[in-house]
Amino acid sequence: MLFQKKIEPRCSYCAKGAPLGEEQILCAKKGVVSPGGHCSSFKYDPLKRVPPKPASLDTGRWKDSDFRLD
């Protein structure tokens, strides 16, 4: 499933908010708010949501013998 049915509301990816900087969102209903806040008029905008970065693979601790089926 690409999108979850139940999204935790946050002002940082609300359709009614516009970013003012790293720590501020300009909301059409509430004015200047924090990105982690939310209100009852939250409307999800999937294009504003930035997914978390994928975990990187640490290949330094593995050897070729770990992947052999002997």
Side-chain angles (χ1 to χ4, degrees), residues 9-66:
R10 302 194 91 188
C11 293
S12 59
Y13 44 83
C14 178
K16 296 178 180 172
L20 286 176
E22 291 275 328
E23 297 296 320
Q24 293 181 334
I25 303 290
L26 179 61
C27 178
K29 298 289 263 181
K30 300 285 183 175
V32 178
V33 295
S34 70
H38 69 278
C39 66
S40 60
S41 65
F42 172 77
K43 178 145 174 57
Y44 178 60
D45 184 359
L47 297 178
K48 289 186 178 180
R49 187 160 187 207
V50 178
K53 292 186 178 187
S56 62
L57 179 63
D58 181 19
T59 58
R61 64 183 184 148
W62 303 105
K63 299 177 277 190
D64 286 339
S65 61
D66 293 331

